[in-house]
Amino acid sequence: MDAQTCLKKLQYVGVLNFATVGPDGSPQVRCISAVHYEPDALYFFTARGKSFCRELEKDGRVQILAYTKYKEMIRVSSYAVPVAQDRQSRYIDRIFAQQPYLSNVYPGDTRRIGIVFAVRDMEIEYFHLGVHPIFRESYTVGKGVVTPKGYEITADCIGCGTCVKACPQKCIEAKKPFHIVQEHCLHCGACFERCPVKAVTKRGTEQ
C-alpha cells in the first residue's frame, strides 16, 4: 500500500465524506462526488454560495473519509485552498466532463456559480479491518506530515505481560521493554488501561 494506491481507492469509492469546521467550531460533514484526481492533489467542486464553501474559505481544514467494500478506511487530512482564478474554468469543465450528472444539477453556464478547491500536502491514513491482524499505515503527499497516534511502551515496563493478554489484536511483542507493532494496533487503549505500572503512554498530540 502507498499514497497513490490510496488515492486510486478513493476514486473507486466515488462518493467521499468531507468534514470541515463550522463557524461555531462544530464539525460539519458532506458527501462529495465532484472530485478530480491528480498524483499530487485532488480537486473538488462546490457552489460559492454554500456554507461548505464559506467554511473552507474561513478555516481551510478538511478531512476526507472513505470506506471500501473490503473493509478499508482511508482518511485524508489537509487544507483546501481555492484554485487560482485563471484555472477555475479549466478545472470546473474537467470535473463536469468526468461527472456527467453535474450538468443536470448546474445546466449550461450555471456551473459558473461554482468554485474548485485543491487539496495538497496530505496525510493519508489507511486502515484495513478485513484482515487479521488488522493493518494500518500512514503516508504523505507533498509536504504532508504524519501525526503519531496510538500508544507505545516505555522503559518503565516490568515485563509482566498484562498488556499482551489485554490486546485484542495480539500485536504486542515480548521484548525489553515490550513492543507494540504499530501497523497492527487498533489504538483501542486496552494496554494503556491495564498496565499496572503505567508504562504505556499515548503517542504524539494525544498526550
Side-chain angles (χ1 to χ4, degrees):
M1 190 57 57
D2 55 32
Q4 292 305 313
T5 303
C6 286
L7 291 177
K8 183 62 69 174
K9 286 179 178 288
L10 291 180
Q11 191 170 1
Y12 290 149
V13 170
V15 180
L16 310 179
N17 296 300
F18 276 64
T20 57
V21 180
D24 60 352
S26 62
Q28 303 291 318
V29 181
R30 281 91 171 177
C31 292
I32 303 294
S33 59
V35 184
H36 166 70
Y37 296 86
E38 294 186 1
D40 62 344
L42 59 85
Y43 300 82
F44 63 95
F45 171 94
T46 188
R48 293 192 300 273
K50 289 183 176 290
S51 297
F52 182 39
C53 179
R54 291 193 293 273
E55 290 157 9
L56 292 169
E57 290 177 325
K58 180 178 179 181
D59 187 282
R61 285 178 293 173
V62 66
Q63 281 197 332
I64 303 166
L65 184 68
Y67 196 71
T68 77
K69 65 180 181 179
Y70 303 109
K71 312 302 182 187
E72 302 163 291
M73 184 276 288
I74 300 168
R75 179 167 59 194
V76 175
S77 300
S78 187
Y79 283 80
V81 297
V83 169
Q85 190 60 45
D86 61 354
R87 300 173 68 196
Q88 283 286 336
S89 291
R90 182 193 320 170
Y91 277 101
I92 288 173
D93 292 343
R94 186 171 296 174
I95 290 171
F96 272 66
Q98 294 171 347
Q99 304 287 347
Y101 81 93
L102 287 171
S103 293
N104 295 325
V105 183
Y106 297 97
D109 287 341
T110 64
R111 70 178 64 180
R112 302 307 166 192
I113 192 60
I115 180 172
V116 174
F117 287 85
V119 177
R120 303 182 182 89
D121 300 332
M122 313 170 209
E123 176 187 11
I124 301 178
E125 298 171 83
Y126 175 82
F127 188 22
H128 198 337
L129 285 171
V131 295
H132 186 81
I134 62 93
F135 177 80
R136 73 186 313 143
E137 203 162 45
S138 295
Y139 316 100
T140 59
V141 173
K143 297 179 182 178
V145 177
V146 172
T147 303
K149 297 178 181 177
Y151 300 86
E152 58 190 2
I153 301 173
T154 69
D156 293 332
C157 172
I158 59 175
C160 67
T162 300
C163 57
V164 175
K165 296 175 184 177
C167 178
Q169 291 294 308
K170 305 304 178 189
C171 69
I172 301 178
E173 299 174 335
K175 296 183 176 181
K176 294 184 178 179
F178 276 43
H179 173 72
I180 299 171
V181 182
Q182 295 295 332
E183 59 264 34
H184 301 312
C185 179
L186 274 172
H187 297 178
C188 68
C191 56
F192 177 77
E193 291 186 3
R194 300 286 183 84
C195 180
V197 294
K198 307 298 181 187
V200 182
T201 60
K202 297 179 181 179
R203 304 175 72 214
T205 58
E206 295 183 322
Q207 297 186 34

